[in-house]
Amino acid sequence: MKAVRTDRELECPDIDAGLRARGVELVTLPDGIPEAELIEAVADAELILMCYTPITARVIEAAPKLRGIVKYGVGIDAIDIPAASARGIPVVNVPEYAEETVAEGAFALMIALAKRLPEIGRAMAADGWIWPEQRWLGRDIAGATVGLVGAGKIGRSMARMAGQGFRARVLGYDPNVDRATLAAAGIEKMDDLHAMLRECDFVSLHCVLSEATRGLIGPAELACLKPSAVLVNVSRGALIDEAALVEAVLAGRLGGVGLDVYSQEPLAKAGHVLSPLFGRDDVILFPHLTFFTVEAMRRLSDDTLARCFEVLDGRPVQVRSRDPRLRAQRENVAFA
């Protein structure tokens, strides 16, 4: 049996060891590998594990022995699911391993910006001490208004931290979640995104990327925010019009920005639309690592191996995601 795992820069020693212990020939490939080289590598593979590298229709067609595609993570936008389904090849992700973890990461970005931790830390490192001058004033989350764009499991975890943990008022914009469900999570449902943004001191994005949400936070939405508002995104980079975001930050129209995801990854200090934001005291650029904790990686490894073994043993693959693209599969899957 042969498996190909892309994006080897994301180290997964337990996944790799678990597959090899089962006698699987495992080939790991780097991020950004050209499609032609990936096609060559999967020609005799029975299993593909991917995180970021696109698994296109051409890649799938080039793998006649392929029995399954496992995303060791959540997002499935880079997989041509119709091409896989046409051949009865199941596609599965690991949707639950980092829900609390990513919410903690979003909250960490928010509180770091509120308390001005990056710039104060840099000043301390440079000077050894600073005094309480006006320029170092932080802000409280208690009593502030936190707005959530998207209120699935991660968003609701964020709501609990902000509301029950810090006594913030929590608003939520999510057309797919009813008012009663949000109220049970301590979230006031808002039906108008612009109206919600105008009220917020902090905004955190927690929605999936789709054609409806691509560029959801654009020039008009950024203009709704208070000049003191903090914007956090740990979901998908393309939810934000990044060029418009840069313009707003450079013009001083936002109080702070914390990003962990980008429409083009990896980020770069030059040549990227967001490059002008490097080195700013009011911006935290995190390298898509809010998911990366000891506990989350253990859960990811366990669940990924379970799905891989289902594929290799010829058993139906458990689909735990509620994503309709995965729930539409009809062959070689079982829904949890």
Side-chain angles (χ1 to χ4, degrees), residues 98-111 141-143 146 148 153-170 185-187 204 206 290:
E99 291 166 348
E100 288 284 321
T101 305
V102 172
E104 287 182 7
F107 201 87
L109 291 173
M110 186 173 77
I111 199 168
I141 294 173
V146 175
L148 305 176
K153 291 183 179 179
I154 297 175
R156 288 176 222 172
S157 292
M158 182 75 168
R160 188 192 70 250
M161 295 173 194
Q164 296 179 31
F166 280 73
R167 296 187 297 104
R169 178 193 180 202
V170 182
I187 304 170
S204 192
H206 297 284
T290 53

Side-chain angles (χ1 to χ4, degrees), residues 149 193-194 197 205 212-225 231 237-248 253-254:
V149 182
L193 176 59
H194 288 191
L197 294 176
L205 307 187
T213 61
R214 187 177 297 275
L216 182 64
I217 305 300
E221 291 71 30
L222 292 167
C224 291
L225 292 169
L231 177 64
L239 295 172
I240 299 177
D241 181 329
E242 292 171 331
L245 177 65
V246 170
E247 182 180 349
R253 300 201 305 269
L254 285 174

Side-chain angles (χ1 to χ4, degrees), residues 9-33:
E9 289 80 1
L10 175 50
E11 296 178 356
C12 300
D14 292 340
I15 293 175
D16 295 350
L19 288 169
R20 288 176 174 135
R22 284 284 300 263
V24 175
E25 176 194 351
L26 177 64
V27 175
T28 61
L29 302 174
D31 175 70
I33 186 170

Side-chain angles (χ1 to χ4, degrees), residues 164-223:
Q164 296 179 31
F166 280 73
R167 296 187 297 104
R169 178 193 180 202
V170 182
L171 309 180
Y173 172 79
D174 192 328
N176 300 312
V177 183
D178 62 76
R179 192 173 303 275
T181 300
L182 293 187
I187 304 170
E188 299 176 40
K189 183 175 174 64
M190 300 291 289
D191 295 319
D192 186 300
L193 176 59
H194 288 191
M196 185 186 82
L197 294 176
R198 292 188 187 100
E199 294 192 44
C200 293
D201 301 297
F202 303 91
V203 175
S204 192
L205 307 187
H206 297 284
C207 49
V208 299
L209 180 63
S210 67
E211 289 309 308
T213 61
R214 187 177 297 275
L216 182 64
I217 305 300
E221 291 71 30
L222 292 167

